[in-house]
Amino acid sequence: MSFEFIKKLPTPDEIRKEFPVPENLAKLKEERDAQIRDVLTGKSGKFLVIIGPCSADNEEAVCDYVARLAKVHEKVKDKLILIPRIYTNKPRTTGEGYKGIVHQPDPEKKPDFLAGLIAMRKMQIRAIEESGLTAADEMLYPENWRYVSDILSYVAIGARSVEDQQHRLTVSGFDVPAGMKNPTSGDFSIMLNSVYAAQHPHSFIYRGWEVKTTGNDLTHTILRGSVNKYGRSLPNYHYEDLNTLLSLYDERDLKNPACIIDANHNNSNKQFKQQVRIVKEVMHSRKLSPDIHQLVKGVMIESYLEEGCQKIGDGVYGKSITDPCLGWEDSERLIYDIADYE
């Protein structure tokens, strides 16, 4: 075989027992989950802002960022629900580069998955404890879901994962919202098929068990732009795109139609400062159309303490080592501007 089995890792139950979520934080998560659910079902008129680093590479900087976010949340919580991005698995287009804290708790050292799982749990729990905010992450590896299912309030399924059967089936067993991104091709029908699949019950094999799920009625869409056959980025956040998505939702029997706009990636062509303009255009579209206002429930923004990005080893505190991000001052101002639109 080409596999070299290094060591057997603890099960999710074992990790959760060793690094448990305190009872008061579990109750806080339950309350936050209910508030976010109400937004996606239309019961609440609040707007979701999923914001934070491209990758959560450093516990101190991430918790510093989330603590700052909590102070802003106190000022806008009557209109917005801020969900920090604490992304602990980083998809790589070519397979090269930093893959997240679960792989490498120290980006300058070799992979160590046991240390990574522990570092991830400790960081996520500390962030909740210090901020009162529960986080979003991307489910890159479906078999790892139960390592984080007790700490996350929102999950994104990436553009390269959205067509995968195991991702769709696993999401059908979630009890928190899952956003299905459009694939890199930009095909809306693939994204909506993924939503349909995850909203329905399934039986399948999961971590060596035969399991059955009930379906996740909070599965929804995320528009993140696309790439054409020449490698050029094509945005899909414009008014016309949102109307197209609305009409496609109307053709399908889907629960709780909802969309989040990812302001970075191919929507911005990774020009991170364009996120400010893109978010404001989305907010303007919501003002122009009651139907778009009802459909678009939030935005996703890549943001960190320092703007831009750096190479691993440069050592700038709070600066992304993956995709470039908005800096803190621009991010804080943008959050207040979003609240003003509401």
Side-chain angles (χ1 to χ4, degrees), residues 213-261:
T213 60
T214 57
N216 180 358
D217 64 347
L218 299 180
T219 311
H220 57 278
T221 58
I222 301 176
L223 298 184
R224 47 86 71 202
S226 63
V227 185
N228 70 10
K229 64 182 180 180
Y230 304 110
R232 180 185 172 192
S233 288
L234 300 175
N236 59 13
Y237 60 85
H238 295 307
Y239 186 89
E240 295 79 8
D241 299 303
L242 300 177
N243 269 325
T244 297
L245 181 58
L246 262 171
S247 65
L248 292 172
Y249 256 118
D250 288 341
E251 293 172 6
R252 289 161 170 80
D253 181 23
L254 295 171
K255 300 170 186 174
N256 303 316
C259 179
I260 304 291
I261 307 300

Side-chain angles (χ1 to χ4, degrees), residues 138-198:
E138 179 172 341
M139 188 181 71
L140 193 56
Y141 309 107
E143 64 272 21
N144 289 352
W145 164 241
R146 293 193 64 253
Y147 286 114
V148 294
S149 59
D150 59 335
I151 49 181
L152 296 179
S153 284
Y154 185 93
V155 177
I157 306 301
R160 298 162 189 82
S161 302
V162 73
E163 297 185 62
D164 177 63
Q165 183 82 338
Q166 192 74 0
H167 280 82
R168 295 175 172 191
L169 299 180
T170 304
V171 170
S172 74
F174 282 12
D175 58 357
V176 295
M180 300 294 199
K181 291 195 174 187
N182 63 263
T184 52
S185 68
D187 192 325
F188 281 13
S189 64
I190 288 173
M191 172 179 63
L192 289 163
N193 287 341
S194 191
V195 171
Y196 182 91

Side-chain angles (χ1 to χ4, degrees), residues 39-40 42 44-49 220-223 236-239 241-243 245-246 249 256-262 278-279 281-287 289-300 338 342:
V39 173
L40 288 165
S44 166
K46 291 184 180 181
F47 192 71
L48 303 179
V49 179
H220 57 278
T221 58
I222 301 176
L223 298 184
N236 59 13
Y237 60 85
H238 295 307
Y239 186 89
D241 299 303
L242 300 177
N243 269 325
L245 181 58
L246 262 171
Y249 256 118
N256 303 316
C259 179
I260 304 291
I261 307 300
D262 179 349
I278 291 165
V279 167
E281 181 179 325
V282 170
M283 301 308 292
H284 183 62
S285 294
R286 291 180 82 241
K287 276 199 165 185
S289 165
D291 290 335
I292 290 175
H293 190 278
Q294 188 174 356
L295 177 72
V296 178
K297 305 290 189 182
V299 289
M300 188 175 283
I338 294 169
E342 292 298 295

